[in-house]
Protein backbone atom coordinates (compact mmCIF):
# COMPACT_ATOMS: atom_id res chain seq x y z
CA UNK A 1 0.00 0.00 0.00
CA UNK A 2 1.29 3.46 -0.89
CA UNK A 3 2.09 5.88 1.92
CA UNK A 4 1.40 8.99 -0.15
CA UNK A 5 -0.50 9.87 -3.33
CA UNK A 6 2.78 10.92 -5.01
CA UNK A 7 3.90 7.29 -5.05
CA UNK A 8 0.74 6.27 -6.87
CA UNK A 9 0.82 9.20 -9.29
CA UNK A 10 4.41 8.40 -10.23
CA UNK A 11 3.87 4.71 -10.94
CA UNK A 12 3.49 4.16 -14.71
CA UNK A 13 1.30 1.71 -16.59
CA UNK A 14 2.78 -0.52 -19.29
CA UNK A 15 0.23 -0.94 -22.08
CA UNK A 16 0.87 -3.20 -25.07
CA UNK A 17 -0.83 -1.50 -28.00
CA UNK A 18 0.09 -4.25 -30.44
CA UNK A 19 2.62 -7.07 -30.71
CA UNK A 20 5.61 -4.69 -30.97
CA UNK A 21 4.40 -1.33 -29.66
CA UNK A 22 4.24 -0.54 -25.93
CA UNK A 23 3.12 2.65 -24.18
CA UNK A 24 4.77 3.58 -20.87
CA UNK A 25 1.96 5.75 -19.51
CA UNK A 26 2.39 8.13 -16.56
CA UNK A 27 -0.19 10.31 -14.89
CA UNK A 28 2.61 12.79 -14.13
CA UNK A 29 6.05 11.50 -15.01
CA UNK A 30 8.25 14.06 -13.25
CA UNK A 31 6.93 12.92 -9.87
CA UNK A 32 9.29 9.96 -10.32
CA UNK A 33 12.37 12.16 -10.55
CA UNK A 34 11.24 14.70 -7.94
CA UNK A 35 10.45 12.09 -5.29
CA UNK A 36 13.75 10.27 -5.70
CA UNK A 37 15.72 13.52 -5.81
CA UNK A 38 14.19 14.88 -2.59
CA UNK A 39 14.60 11.55 -0.82
CA UNK A 40 18.28 11.43 -1.87
CA UNK A 41 18.88 14.98 -0.61
CA UNK A 42 17.34 14.07 2.75
CA UNK A 43 19.24 10.76 3.01
CA UNK A 44 22.58 12.45 2.28
CA UNK A 45 21.94 15.37 4.64
CA UNK A 46 22.02 17.97 1.89
CA UNK A 47 18.64 19.24 3.18
CA UNK A 48 16.52 18.70 6.25
CA UNK A 49 12.78 18.41 6.73
CA UNK A 50 11.24 21.86 6.80
CA UNK A 51 13.79 23.36 4.40
CA UNK A 52 12.63 25.23 1.29
CA UNK A 53 13.26 23.68 -2.12
CA UNK A 54 13.36 26.09 -5.05
CA UNK A 55 13.16 25.69 -8.80
CA UNK A 56 11.90 27.07 -12.09
CA UNK A 57 9.18 25.23 -14.01
CA UNK A 58 6.85 25.50 -16.97
CA UNK A 59 4.28 23.49 -15.05
CA UNK A 60 4.68 19.74 -14.66
CA UNK A 61 7.82 19.79 -12.51
CA UNK A 62 6.21 22.42 -10.27
CA UNK A 63 3.41 19.98 -9.46
CA UNK A 64 5.87 17.10 -9.04
CA UNK A 65 8.10 19.03 -6.65
CA UNK A 66 5.11 20.29 -4.67
CA UNK A 67 3.96 16.68 -4.23
CA UNK A 68 7.45 15.55 -3.20
CA UNK A 69 7.70 18.40 -0.69
CA UNK A 70 4.27 17.50 0.70
CA UNK A 71 5.39 13.86 1.00
CA UNK A 72 8.59 14.67 2.88
CA UNK A 73 7.58 17.71 4.92
CA UNK A 74 9.46 20.34 2.92
CA UNK A 75 8.57 23.84 1.75
CA UNK A 76 8.32 24.50 -1.98
CA UNK A 77 8.94 27.72 -3.91
CA UNK A 78 8.38 27.79 -7.68
CA UNK A 79 9.28 30.43 -10.24
CA UNK A 80 6.73 29.56 -12.88
CA UNK A 81 6.40 30.12 -16.59
CA UNK A 82 3.46 31.93 -18.13
CA UNK A 83 2.16 28.45 -19.11
CA UNK A 84 1.19 27.58 -15.51
CA UNK A 85 -2.61 27.48 -15.77
CA UNK A 86 -5.39 28.21 -13.27
CA UNK A 87 -5.89 24.55 -12.30
CA UNK A 88 -2.23 24.07 -11.46
CA UNK A 89 -1.99 27.41 -9.64
CA UNK A 90 -4.89 26.33 -7.44
CA UNK A 91 -3.38 22.92 -6.70
CA UNK A 92 -0.03 24.45 -5.80
CA UNK A 93 -1.69 26.92 -3.44
CA UNK A 94 -3.64 24.22 -1.62
CA UNK A 95 -0.53 22.01 -1.39
CA UNK A 96 1.25 24.90 0.34
CA UNK A 97 3.70 25.72 -2.45
CA UNK A 98 4.58 29.34 -3.21
CA UNK A 99 4.36 30.31 -6.88
CA UNK A 100 5.90 33.36 -8.54
CA UNK A 101 4.61 33.46 -12.10
CA UNK A 102 6.38 35.40 -14.81
CA UNK A 103 4.55 38.03 -16.84
CA UNK A 104 3.21 36.87 -20.24
CA UNK A 105 5.96 36.51 -22.84
CA UNK A 106 5.85 35.09 -26.37
CA UNK A 107 9.61 34.45 -26.41
CA UNK A 108 10.43 31.10 -24.74
CA UNK A 109 14.14 31.92 -24.43
CA UNK A 110 13.38 35.21 -22.71
CA UNK A 111 10.86 33.51 -20.41
CA UNK A 112 13.43 30.89 -19.35
CA UNK A 113 16.14 33.53 -18.95
CA UNK A 114 13.92 35.69 -16.71
CA UNK A 115 13.01 32.70 -14.56
CA UNK A 116 16.67 31.79 -13.99
CA UNK A 117 17.51 35.40 -13.18
CA UNK A 118 14.72 35.43 -10.60
CA UNK A 119 16.05 32.20 -9.08
CA UNK A 120 19.42 33.89 -8.51
CA UNK A 121 17.72 36.91 -6.93
CA UNK A 122 15.82 34.64 -4.53
CA UNK A 123 18.98 32.72 -3.61
CA UNK A 124 20.74 36.00 -2.86
CA UNK A 125 17.89 36.90 -0.49
CA UNK A 126 17.56 33.36 0.93
CA UNK A 127 20.86 31.47 0.69
CA UNK A 128 19.37 28.74 2.90
CA UNK A 129 17.00 27.68 0.08
CA UNK A 130 18.06 24.64 -1.95
CA UNK A 131 17.90 25.06 -5.73
CA UNK A 132 16.81 21.74 -7.26
CA UNK A 133 18.24 22.50 -10.73
CA UNK A 134 16.01 19.96 -12.48
CA UNK A 135 17.71 20.71 -15.81
CA UNK A 136 21.28 20.26 -14.56
CA UNK A 137 21.47 18.03 -11.46
CA UNK A 138 21.71 14.32 -12.26
CA UNK A 139 19.95 13.33 -9.04
CA UNK A 140 16.85 13.56 -11.24
CA UNK A 141 18.00 10.37 -12.99
CA UNK A 142 17.69 8.28 -9.82
CA UNK A 143 13.93 7.66 -9.80
CA UNK A 144 13.96 5.97 -13.19
CA UNK A 145 16.01 2.95 -12.10
CA UNK A 146 12.92 1.21 -10.71
CA UNK A 147 10.99 2.05 -13.89
CA UNK A 148 13.78 0.56 -16.02
CA UNK A 149 13.72 -2.60 -13.89
CA UNK A 150 10.00 -2.91 -14.46
CA UNK A 151 10.38 -2.46 -18.23
CA UNK A 152 13.13 -5.09 -18.32
CA UNK A 153 10.98 -7.54 -16.39
CA UNK A 154 7.92 -6.95 -18.61
CA UNK A 155 9.75 -7.16 -21.94
CA UNK A 156 12.16 -9.96 -21.07
CA UNK A 157 14.97 -10.34 -23.57
CA UNK A 158 13.24 -8.49 -26.40
CA UNK A 159 15.40 -6.15 -28.46
CA UNK A 160 14.07 -2.76 -27.36
CA UNK A 161 13.83 0.70 -28.89
CA UNK A 162 12.97 3.43 -26.38
CA UNK A 163 11.27 6.58 -27.74
CA UNK A 164 10.52 9.75 -25.80
CA UNK A 165 10.71 13.53 -25.61
CA UNK A 166 14.20 14.67 -24.60
CA UNK A 167 13.24 17.66 -22.41
CA UNK A 168 15.57 17.91 -19.44
CA UNK A 169 17.17 14.61 -20.46
CA UNK A 170 16.30 12.83 -17.22
CA UNK A 171 13.59 10.40 -18.34
CA UNK A 172 14.93 9.10 -21.65
CA UNK A 173 18.57 9.41 -20.64
CA UNK A 174 18.11 7.64 -17.32
CA UNK A 175 15.92 4.86 -18.71
CA UNK A 176 18.38 4.15 -21.53
CA UNK A 177 21.34 4.17 -19.16
CA UNK A 178 19.70 1.80 -16.66
CA UNK A 179 18.26 -0.48 -19.35
CA UNK A 180 21.68 -0.80 -20.99
CA UNK A 181 23.31 -1.84 -17.73
CA UNK A 182 23.57 -5.64 -17.76
CA UNK A 183 21.19 -5.94 -20.70
CA UNK A 184 21.68 -8.87 -23.05
CA UNK A 185 19.98 -6.99 -25.89
CA UNK A 186 21.10 -3.61 -27.18
CA UNK A 187 18.71 -0.79 -26.29
CA UNK A 188 18.26 1.87 -28.97
CA UNK A 189 17.35 5.38 -27.76
CA UNK A 190 15.26 7.65 -29.98
CA UNK A 191 14.82 11.25 -28.83
CA UNK A 192 11.95 13.50 -29.86
CA UNK A 193 12.46 17.25 -30.18
CA UNK A 194 10.36 20.27 -31.20
CA UNK A 195 11.58 22.70 -33.84
CA UNK A 196 13.22 25.74 -32.26
CA UNK A 197 15.01 23.70 -29.59
CA UNK A 198 18.74 24.32 -29.07
CA UNK A 199 19.34 20.89 -27.48
CA UNK A 200 20.17 19.09 -30.73
CA UNK A 201 20.71 22.12 -32.95
CA UNK A 202 17.27 23.05 -34.30
CA UNK A 203 17.09 26.58 -32.91
CA UNK A 204 17.13 28.05 -36.44
CA UNK A 205 13.82 26.40 -37.48
CA UNK A 206 10.64 27.94 -36.06
CA UNK A 207 7.30 26.18 -35.64
CA UNK A 208 4.48 28.52 -36.75
CA UNK A 209 2.22 27.11 -34.03
CA UNK A 210 4.03 26.58 -30.71
CA UNK A 211 7.09 24.85 -29.31
CA UNK A 212 5.82 21.65 -27.71
CA UNK A 213 6.27 22.20 -23.97
CA UNK A 214 8.57 19.93 -22.04
CA UNK A 215 10.49 18.15 -24.82
CA UNK A 216 12.85 20.91 -25.99
CA UNK A 217 14.61 24.00 -24.73
CA UNK A 218 15.87 27.38 -25.85
CA UNK A 219 18.79 27.19 -23.38
CA UNK A 220 21.38 24.42 -22.79
CA UNK A 221 20.44 21.72 -20.26
CA UNK A 222 23.23 19.98 -18.36
CA UNK A 223 21.23 16.79 -17.78
CA UNK A 224 20.99 15.91 -21.49
CA UNK A 225 23.61 13.22 -22.20
CA UNK A 226 23.70 13.54 -25.98
CA UNK A 227 25.96 10.53 -26.39
CA UNK A 228 23.13 8.22 -25.23
CA UNK A 229 20.90 8.95 -28.27
CA UNK A 230 20.94 6.89 -31.47
CA UNK A 231 18.28 8.74 -33.50
CA UNK A 232 16.45 12.07 -33.34
CA UNK A 233 13.00 13.07 -34.60
CA UNK A 234 12.01 16.74 -34.85
CA UNK A 235 8.21 16.98 -34.90
CA UNK A 236 5.99 20.02 -35.38
CA UNK A 237 2.88 20.94 -33.42
CA UNK A 238 0.56 19.90 -36.27
CA UNK A 239 2.18 16.48 -36.66
CA UNK A 240 2.14 15.90 -32.88
CA UNK A 241 -1.53 16.90 -32.80
CA UNK A 242 -2.25 14.23 -35.42
CA UNK A 243 -0.36 11.68 -33.31
CA UNK A 244 -2.22 12.58 -30.12
CA UNK A 245 -5.62 12.34 -31.80
CA UNK A 246 -4.76 9.01 -33.47
CA UNK A 247 -3.48 7.56 -30.20
CA UNK A 248 -6.77 8.39 -28.49
CA UNK A 249 -8.94 7.29 -31.40
CA UNK A 250 -7.09 4.05 -32.14
CA UNK A 251 -5.92 2.98 -28.67
CA UNK A 252 -8.05 5.09 -26.24
CA UNK A 253 -4.90 6.54 -24.62
CA UNK A 254 -5.58 10.15 -23.61
CA UNK A 255 -2.20 11.82 -23.25
CA UNK A 256 -0.35 15.08 -23.77
CA UNK A 257 1.04 16.62 -26.93
CA UNK A 258 4.57 15.34 -26.37
CA UNK A 259 3.13 11.83 -26.24
CA UNK A 260 1.51 12.36 -29.63
CA UNK A 261 4.93 13.26 -31.02
CA UNK A 262 6.53 10.22 -29.37
CA UNK A 263 3.79 7.91 -30.65
CA UNK A 264 4.30 9.19 -34.20
CA UNK A 265 8.06 8.56 -33.99
CA UNK A 266 7.53 5.15 -32.36
CA UNK A 267 5.19 3.99 -35.12
CA UNK A 268 7.82 4.94 -37.70
CA UNK A 269 10.66 3.21 -35.83
CA UNK A 270 8.55 0.05 -35.44
CA UNK A 271 8.08 -0.19 -39.21
CA UNK A 272 11.80 0.36 -39.84
CA UNK A 273 12.97 -2.40 -37.44
CA UNK A 274 10.66 -5.44 -37.60
CA UNK A 275 12.78 -7.42 -35.14
CA UNK A 276 12.50 -4.92 -32.29
CA UNK A 277 9.88 -3.96 -29.73
CA UNK A 278 9.30 -0.20 -29.53
CA UNK A 279 8.32 1.46 -26.25
CA UNK A 280 7.33 5.14 -26.13
CA UNK A 281 6.84 7.39 -23.11
CA UNK A 282 3.52 9.08 -22.33
CA UNK A 283 4.63 11.68 -19.78
CA UNK A 284 1.24 13.04 -18.71
CA UNK A 285 -2.48 12.97 -19.42
CA UNK A 286 -4.23 15.01 -22.09
CA UNK A 287 -6.32 17.24 -19.83
CA UNK A 288 -4.14 20.34 -20.38
CA UNK A 289 -4.58 19.92 -24.13
CA UNK A 290 -8.34 19.60 -24.47
CA UNK A 291 -8.80 23.04 -26.02
CA UNK A 292 -5.50 23.42 -27.88
CA UNK A 293 -5.28 19.88 -29.31
CA UNK A 294 -8.26 17.58 -28.87
CA UNK A 295 -10.91 20.17 -29.70
CA UNK A 296 -9.19 20.39 -33.11
CA UNK A 297 -9.45 16.66 -33.81
CA UNK A 298 -11.37 17.16 -37.06
CA UNK A 299 -8.44 19.00 -38.61
CA UNK A 300 -5.89 16.35 -37.61
CA UNK A 301 -3.99 14.76 -40.51
CA UNK A 302 -4.15 11.01 -41.04
CA UNK A 303 -0.95 9.62 -39.49
CA UNK A 304 -0.67 7.18 -42.40
CA UNK A 305 -0.06 10.20 -44.64
CA UNK A 306 2.79 11.52 -42.49
CA UNK A 307 6.44 10.53 -42.86
CA UNK A 308 9.70 12.10 -41.68
CA UNK A 309 12.16 13.82 -43.98
CA UNK A 310 15.48 11.95 -43.67
CA UNK A 311 18.30 14.41 -43.00
CA UNK A 312 22.03 14.06 -42.46
CA UNK A 313 22.56 17.41 -40.73
CA UNK A 314 20.65 20.13 -38.92
CA UNK A 315 20.90 22.50 -41.90
CA UNK A 316 18.50 20.16 -43.74
CA UNK A 317 15.78 20.25 -41.06
CA UNK A 318 12.32 21.13 -42.36
CA UNK A 319 8.77 21.12 -41.06
CA UNK A 320 6.67 19.20 -40.24
CA UNK A 321 8.85 16.18 -39.38
CA UNK A 322 12.54 15.32 -39.79
CA UNK A 323 14.57 12.30 -38.74
CA UNK A 324 18.34 11.99 -38.34
CA UNK A 325 20.72 9.33 -37.10
CA UNK A 326 22.59 10.82 -34.14
CA UNK A 327 24.86 7.81 -33.53
CA UNK A 328 25.56 8.70 -29.90
CA UNK A 329 27.48 11.84 -30.85
CA UNK A 330 28.45 14.54 -28.35
CA UNK A 331 26.48 17.73 -27.85
CA UNK A 332 26.55 20.41 -30.54
CA UNK A 333 28.44 23.49 -29.33
CA UNK A 334 25.37 25.70 -28.62
CA UNK A 335 23.86 22.95 -26.44
CA UNK A 336 26.90 22.32 -24.25
CA UNK A 337 26.25 23.07 -20.61
CA UNK A 338 28.02 22.54 -17.28
CA UNK A 339 26.77 19.89 -14.90
CA UNK A 340 26.58 16.96 -17.31
CA UNK A 341 25.86 13.67 -15.49
Amino acid sequence: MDQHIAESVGRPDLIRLDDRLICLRFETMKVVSALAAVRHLLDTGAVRRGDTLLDSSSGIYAYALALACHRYGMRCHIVGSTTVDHTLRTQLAVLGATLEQMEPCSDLKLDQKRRVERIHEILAEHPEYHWMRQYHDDIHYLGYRAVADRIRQATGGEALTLVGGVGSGASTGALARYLRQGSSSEVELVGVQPYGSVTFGAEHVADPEIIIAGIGSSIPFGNVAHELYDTLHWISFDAALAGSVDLLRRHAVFAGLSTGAGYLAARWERERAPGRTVLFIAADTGHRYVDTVYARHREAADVADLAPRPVSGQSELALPWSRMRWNRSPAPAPASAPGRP
Side-chain angles (χ1 to χ4, degrees):
M1 183 179 296
D2 294 322
Q3 301 301 308
H4 191 274
I5 186 64
E7 295 157 9
S8 175
V9 169
R11 185 182 303 110
D13 303 308
L14 274 167
I15 306 165
R16 188 174 286 277
L17 304 185
D18 63 29
D19 60 334
R20 291 193 301 108
L21 186 63
I22 298 173
C23 177
L24 180 68
R25 178 194 174 275
F26 292 86
E27 182 175 338
T28 303
M29 183 181 68
K30 288 193 175 182
V31 172
V32 173
S33 54
L35 272 178
V38 174
R39 187 167 60 246
H40 176 78
L41 291 171
L42 285 165
D43 289 346
T44 57
V47 300
R48 297 177 296 177
R49 290 182 183 270
D51 284 354
T52 297
L53 304 183
L54 168 71
D55 214 341
S56 164
S57 173
S58 60
I60 296 177
Y61 186 78
Y63 176 58
L65 186 59
L67 283 178
C69 287
H70 191 277
R71 168 71 177 85
Y72 290 113
M74 315 292 290
R75 293 184 173 88
C76 179
H77 191 110
I78 298 292
V79 178
S81 168
T82 59
T83 57
V84 177
D85 61 21
H86 173 71
T87 300
L88 180 54
R89 288 197 300 270
T90 304
Q91 286 178 286
L92 293 176
V94 175
L95 285 168
T98 303
L99 171 68
E100 291 186 39
Q101 190 166 12
M102 294 290 98
E103 293 297 320
C105 177
S106 59
D107 185 326
L108 177 61
K109 185 173 184 177
L110 179 59
D111 177 63
Q112 289 181 315
K113 181 175 181 289
R114 290 193 307 181
R115 281 188 277 141
V116 172
E117 288 173 349
R118 179 57 187 148
I119 290 285
H120 286 293
E121 290 174 356
I122 293 170
L123 288 172
E125 298 166 7
H126 298 279
E128 74 278 11
Y129 286 9
H130 182 87
W131 184 13
M132 292 297 294
R133 303 178 78 244
Q134 63 151 321
Y135 304 126
H136 304 290
D137 194 330
D138 64 352
I139 61 172
H140 291 92
Y141 273 48
L142 298 175
Y144 293 99
R145 183 183 293 276
V147 180
D149 291 342
R150 187 175 172 199
I151 292 170
R152 186 182 295 109
Q153 182 179 16
T155 58
E158 298 175 56
L160 190 67
T161 298
L162 172 66
V163 181
V166 177
S168 68
S171 59
T172 48
L175 286 173
R177 181 170 287 169
Y178 292 137
L179 285 168
R180 287 170 179 167
Q181 290 175 356
S183 176
S184 58
S185 61
E186 186 183 358
V187 175
E188 291 272 325
L189 178 57
V190 177
V192 180
Q193 283 274 276
Y195 291 95
S197 173
V198 71
T199 308
F200 285 89
E203 63 273 16
H204 60 290
V205 184
D207 192 324
E209 285 273 0
I210 61 168
I211 290 181
I212 303 171
I215 67 171
S217 174
S218 64
I219 59 175
F221 285 169
N223 267 345
V224 179
H226 294 74
E227 63 277 7
L228 294 175
Y229 295 84
D230 297 287
T231 302
L232 269 296
H233 287 252
W234 288 268
I235 295 178
S236 70
F237 174 90
D238 288 338
L241 182 150
S244 298
V245 170
D246 189 83
L247 180 60
L248 179 58
R249 181 178 290 136
R250 192 186 303 262
H251 299 291
V253 176
F254 182 51
L257 189 61
S258 66
T259 301
Y263 168 67
L264 203 61
R267 280 171 51 92
W268 184 261
E269 295 298 327
R270 180 193 58 182
E271 297 307 311
R272 306 282 77 74
R276 304 181 69 86
T277 294
V278 180
L279 181 148
F280 69 95
I281 298 171
D284 60 357
T285 67
H287 294 89
R288 292 197 304 157
Y289 300 94
V290 170
D291 294 330
T292 56
V293 173
Y294 289 99
R296 299 170 59 179
H297 64 93
R298 290 182 181 85
E299 62 188 80
D302 187 335
V303 294
D305 296 332
L306 298 174
R309 169 192 174 98
V311 301
S312 58
Q314 289 91 334
S315 63
E316 301 172 16
L317 293 176
L319 296 163
W321 182 6
S322 298
R323 177 185 185 270
M324 185 174 82
R325 288 291 297 173
W326 187 256
N327 297 319
R328 307 190 186 185
S329 300
S336 298
R340 294 284 304 282

